Amino acid sequence: SNGSITVNVNPNISGLIYSINDSDQISNTFNNLKAGVYHIVVKDTNCQTAPLVVNLNPYPVVSPILYSTTAINDLVFPNPFSTSVQIQFNQEQSDKLYINIFNDRGQLIRRFFNGQFVERGRYVVYWDGTGEGGTPLSNGVYIYSIVEGTKMIKTGKLVLMK
């Protein structure tokens, strides 16, 4: 099935141009995309760029972002969410990365990277409110954790409201 990718950046930045596979547009949403790898670039008025690589299979999972942290800060957006949420963060050093999502009882319900070695850089994880097997989850508060090697670097709450 076809999917879509929405690129959310700092809402205080205006005049951005979004490019997917070298085709420019003003909208931050790319629709009717087949599963595959897409190269997306976000350009601002100063010609600063933010290249992303997104694997749409069948929805975006992970994309590294190489961009100045002054423009795009760590954030979880939107929160609360109804269809998907993105967790943006900096990986401070090349190391194993674990991103886990837990329910309100502390049970692990979804994981990303799962100890995969990743390079230092900026990343965003998209979560669509489903468990490991793709089962839709109910409304509620979920906790995410980001672990770099053996060091917990961030935790936070995610609110799913369909």
Side-chain angles (χ1 to χ4, degrees):
S1 71
N2 292 348
S4 65
I5 298 171
T6 300
V7 180
N8 293 308
V9 296
N10 186 327
N12 296 323
I13 301 173
S14 61
L16 296 175
I17 297 174
Y18 302 86
S19 173
I20 187 165
N21 295 347
D22 297 322
S23 177
D24 289 349
Q25 67 182 46
I26 296 172
S27 171
N28 67 331
T29 300
F30 304 95
N31 292 309
N32 201 25
L33 301 173
K34 295 183 189 308
V37 175
Y38 293 89
H39 299 275
I40 298 173
V41 176
V42 180
K43 298 179 245 184
D44 69 12
T45 53
N46 296 321
C47 294
Q48 296 284 327
T49 61
L52 297 86
V53 178
V54 177
N55 183 359
L56 186 68
N57 187 25
Y59 48 83
V61 178
V62 176
S63 57
I65 300 176
L66 309 172
Y67 199 80
S68 164
T69 56
T70 59
I72 304 174
N73 298 315
D74 286 350
L75 67 99
V76 175
F77 183 81
N79 196 16
F81 72 101
S82 62
T83 57
S84 73
V85 62
Q86 57 179 292
I87 305 166
Q88 297 183 23
F89 63 96
N90 286 318
Q91 172 80 3
E92 299 299 329
Q93 60 188 25
S94 299
D95 206 340
K96 291 180 179 179
L97 180 64
Y98 303 84
I99 298 179
N100 298 312
I101 299 178
F102 301 90
N103 64 17
D104 59 355
R105 294 182 303 263
Q107 298 167 315
L108 178 64
I109 52 124
R110 187 71 187 262
R111 58 185 127 189
F112 298 91
F113 291 101
N114 201 27
Q116 175 184 344
F117 187 86
V118 297
E119 295 297 324
R120 179 177 175 221
R122 186 151 178 84
Y123 291 85
V124 58
V125 171
Y126 294 85
W127 179 48
D128 63 352
T130 63
E132 283 293 336
T135 305
L137 299 171
S138 60
N139 289 348
V141 176
Y142 295 86
I143 305 297
Y144 72 92
S145 69
I146 302 172
V147 178
E148 184 179 278
T150 58
K151 178 183 172 190
M152 176 79 67
I153 61 171
K154 189 171 188 177
T155 62
K157 293 180 181 179
L158 304 168
V159 179
L160 174 58
M161 295 177 56
K162 296 179 184 181

